[in-house]
Amino acid sequence: MTGKHRHYRNRASQWLREFRHSADQLPDAAVLLDASGRTRWFNLAAGRLLGLLQPRDRGIDLSTHFGGSELGAWLRHGSLVPANDMASPLPDGPRLAAMLIPVGRSARMLLARDISAINRLEQMRRDFVANVSHELRTPLTVIHGYLELLSPDDVPELAAVLDEMRTQSRRMGQIVEDLLTLSRLETQQAPIDEHVAMAPLLATLQREAQALSQGRHRVELVCRSSADLIGSAHDLHSAFSNLVSNAVRYTPSGGSIAIHWEDRDAGVRFAVRDSGYGIPAEHLSRLTERFYRVSSSRSRATGGTGLGLSIVKHVLSLHQAELHIDSRPGEGSTFSCEFPVARILRAAD
Ligand code: ADP
């Protein structure tokens, strides 16, 4: 070997050592897979997080190796979508977020990150909100009870103050109840599966809208499906009712509201259309965040807590449906969702 070759070879092996050393310092597992899904190389963290051992697991088919574990199934399904939270294939291993990145023409790099600490923080946040809401419930009930006992006739000079105190204590009570509902929905894995009869539910929604509107709007029911749903009657009513009451609250007098229930190719669709204020496009993606409002004053003036659409989103997701919002300022909005076949019950069933 010439001196020049030896020099290049030494430099190449030094680069390789440096690369391996750096990759082993990474906190995330990195596994390079060839076109057929066999391991070509992996770092130290792949041992800690996935249980891969050098040199034993070099060249193995990764999806077969992880067998029936969540990671194995995810790899076998093509894994185009990153996994946000799944179990490590190790017994008592950490929770993982994983993604596959294409490398060159046909290789792929599996990256897996330990998200146990983030999950713990998220759990602490959830517990904190649930505990605070729970602790606020009793004092609020007491305050509310005493306010109800006081009659404005006893203290006429304070009648306006008393009225405002009652309104605000009711509002606080509603915020606490909505926060508790959200806490429950966040921790729930699946809804209670009941037969939800849609015809009476739709009629109730229409009546609720008319009661809230007090004759200020035209409220129409367009029922083009005889399908019923399988899910939680209470939660679905609450979600649909939120959409209907928003339509009334954000539509000026003289406007119209239509509740739609209709068959679709792959499911059944619920929609609430209004001819109201509409929502500028830049707000649409954030509407289901807690306490996000386009106009705080309009929301408060109509008794909103800012939590309604968050509740709707959670309820729908528990029922494998997604909220779609279509809106134009000045023209109105349509809030809709489509339930998959698995959630539908037809008369013949
Ligand atoms: P809120 O209690 O404030 O109504 P929501 O979570 O139900 O809270 O809704 C969030 C925000 O989305 C509202 O404050 C309002 O700005 C907007 N919004 C919801 N529904 C409609 C609608 N039908 N038309 C216009 N704006 C709406």
Side-chain angles (χ1 to χ4, degrees), residues 6 11 29-30 41 46 49 88 95 112-114 133 153 160 171 175 178 193 220 243 269 274 330-331 333:
R6 200 172 302 121
R11 270 184 71 180
W41 162 91
L49 301 181
S88 154
R95 301 296 300 179
R113 170 168 295 178
D114 179 352
S133 314
D153 297 340
R171 220 171 85 75
I175 292 175
D178 281 0
D193 282 346
E220 194 189 352
L243 295 179
R269 175 177 183 259
D274 67 58
E331 290 181 24
S333 316

Side-chain angles (χ1 to χ4, degrees), residues 246 249-250 274 279 287 292-294 299 304-306 308-309 335:
N246 277 356
R249 290 166 46 229
Y250 298 109
D274 67 58
I279 304 153
L287 285 189
Y292 189 87
R293 292 150 166 141
V294 178
S299 160
T305 62
L309 290 182
F335 287 73

Side-chain angles (χ1 to χ4, degrees), residues 233-251:
H234 175 267
D235 288 344
L236 285 170
H237 180 185
S238 144
F240 294 160
S241 178
N242 260 308
L243 295 179
V244 170
S245 90
N246 277 356
V248 175
R249 290 166 46 229
Y250 298 109
T251 300

